[in-house]
Amino acid sequence: MSDTIITHTEKDSGVPAIARDFSVTDRIVIITGGGQGLGREFARQFAAAGAIPVIADINEKNARAVAEEITAAGGRALPIAVDVSNKESVDAMAAAVVNQFGRIDVLVNNASIFATLQKRPFDQIPVSEWETVLKVNVTGVFLCTCAVIASMREQGWGRVVSIASDAVPKGVANYLHYVASKAAVIGMTNSMARELGASGITVNAIRPGAVATEVDRTVNHTVEARKRIVDMQCIPRVMVPTDLVGLVMFLCTPAAAFITGQTIACDGGYTHSS
Ligand SMILES: NC(=O)c1ccc[n+]([C@@H]2O[C@H](COP(=O)([O-])OP(=O)(O)OC[C@H]3O[C@@H](n4cnc5c(N)ncnc54)[C@H](O)[C@@H]3O)[C@@H](O)[C@H]2O)c1
């Protein structure tokens, strides 16, 4: 499975063979927060591409429902109940995956406290809410990544993709704990990539714009607010979960072996990197 060494014989017309491998077939892909929204879509699409998504969510009922949806469509999936902010729970989840499949290939750090958050001025955010958001959105990414790297190191191959947010460069107001948590995810991506590059493990983040999922968020996203967002995008339509799938999946392929420590936007051109 190692794609860290490309020999001369693997080359064809100057293009390393590995660079054309866009497959995620048979990969064991842990998707935290896979029980709804973007995580559910990632799980469905990875399964459709032949991977085995582990739907790891604090909402066990939702995780099971997504797994059933996938198996009913002919795919493979494993639902697991996990609280990403709890080390024992995360370690048990990683152990269960290794026990069942023998390895972990990909971690998508997608779980976060997001849809349930009420926007409010930062000086009105209760300290308890601030701490809870950081515990799930930052400590959760730390704990989950710690829990999977032993298996990835062992096979000399791994992919970590964390879901950050456009809220960081936009400086979205009234969401300071959330914005701070996603800024931390971007910083952690940069540093983890440095520590793991020699082990054949890439670590990247993506920055989605505002994505309409099946979860009702009309409290934070009024029709007017959505229109303002679409007006700022180069591609003038509402973003949907499938818009993110190509980027996330590509980062998990052998073809993306030389991309690490990056945070890549997928937001219809709302923000630009420079
Ligand atoms: N939807 C958007 O517009 C958007 C934009 C930018 C970034 N994002 C990010 O994308 C990711 C998914 O967003 P979404 O809209 O699907 O969010 P969502 O709130 O609909 O789903 C989050 C999922 O995480 C799970 N979860 C929450 N706490 C958990 C915990 N402690 N342990 C395990 N699972 C837990 C929830 O049960 C839920 O299934 C999040 O990281 C979010 O911050 C979303």
Side-chain angles (χ1 to χ4, degrees):
M1 284 246 180
S2 173
D3 58 13
T4 52
I5 299 168
I6 295 169
T7 64
H8 184 69
T9 51
E10 286 171 303
K11 292 184 178 179
D12 176 18
S13 310
V15 181
I18 209 77
R20 300 190 305 270
D21 187 348
F22 296 97
S23 163
V24 293
T25 308
D26 293 333
R27 296 287 184 198
I28 309 301
V29 182
I30 295 177
I31 301 171
T32 66
Q36 69 176 42
L38 300 186
R40 170 173 169 259
E41 190 59 22
F42 296 149
R44 284 156 30 113
Q45 300 280 348
F46 267 101
I52 305 176
V54 176
I55 299 137
D57 204 296
I58 199 165
N59 187 327
E60 190 172 8
K61 189 166 159 253
N62 279 358
R64 284 189 186 284
V66 174
E68 280 164 18
E69 191 184 350
I70 288 169
T71 46
R76 299 169 291 175
L78 175 70
I80 291 192
V82 67
D83 176 356
V84 296
S85 68
N86 179 297
K87 181 169 164 41
E88 276 178 20
S89 176
V90 169
D91 289 348
M93 182 253 316
V97 176
V98 172
N99 191 37
Q100 173 121 2
F101 300 110
R103 63 180 206 280
I104 298 166
D105 299 313
V106 174
L107 169 67
V108 180
N109 281 310
N110 168 80
S112 96
I113 299 189
F114 174 60
T116 53
L117 278 178
Q118 298 289 310
K119 285 190 169 180
R120 51 182 139 206
F122 71 83
D123 56 340
Q124 290 173 26
I125 296 175
V127 173
S128 59
E129 186 175 295
W130 173 274
E131 288 175 347
T132 304
V133 170
L134 292 189
K135 199 165 176 208
V136 173
N137 297 13
V138 180
T139 308
V141 171
F142 165 65
L143 292 177
C144 289
T145 312
C146 287
V148 301
I149 51 168
S151 175
M152 292 181 180
R153 277 194 172 120
E154 203 177 303
Q155 57 178 338
W157 199 97
R159 299 283 184 266
V160 178
V161 178
S162 301
I163 315 300
S165 174
D166 255 14
V168 177
K170 285 176 187 165
V172 170
N174 302 318
Y175 234 7
L176 196 67
H177 39 10
Y178 180 76
V179 174
S181 73
K182 294 303 184 178
V185 167
I186 293 170
M188 287 157 72
T189 298
N190 298 344
S191 291
M192 286 172 170
R194 282 235 180 258
E195 292 190 39
L196 296 173
S199 305
I201 303 166
T202 67
V203 186
N204 292 289
I206 68 158
R207 282 201 282 108
V211 196
T213 71
E214 80 277 11
V215 181
D216 180 27
R217 281 189 290 119
T218 41
V219 179
N220 287 331
H221 277 163
T222 59
V223 173
E224 298 75 41
R226 277 187 186 250
K227 186 177 178 321
R228 272 199 303 277
I229 290 167
V230 168
D231 286 346
M232 287 296 292
Q233 294 169 187
C234 302
I235 300 169
R237 67 161 170 80
V238 168
M239 184 173 173
V240 292
T242 42
D243 288 322
L244 292 169
V245 171
L247 175 57
V248 171
M249 224 182 258
F250 168 66
L251 290 171
C252 300
T253 65
F258 212 59
I259 301 169
T260 196
Q262 305 302 311
T263 298
I264 304 173
C266 180
D267 59 5
Y270 187 121
T271 61
H272 299 283
S273 53
S274 57

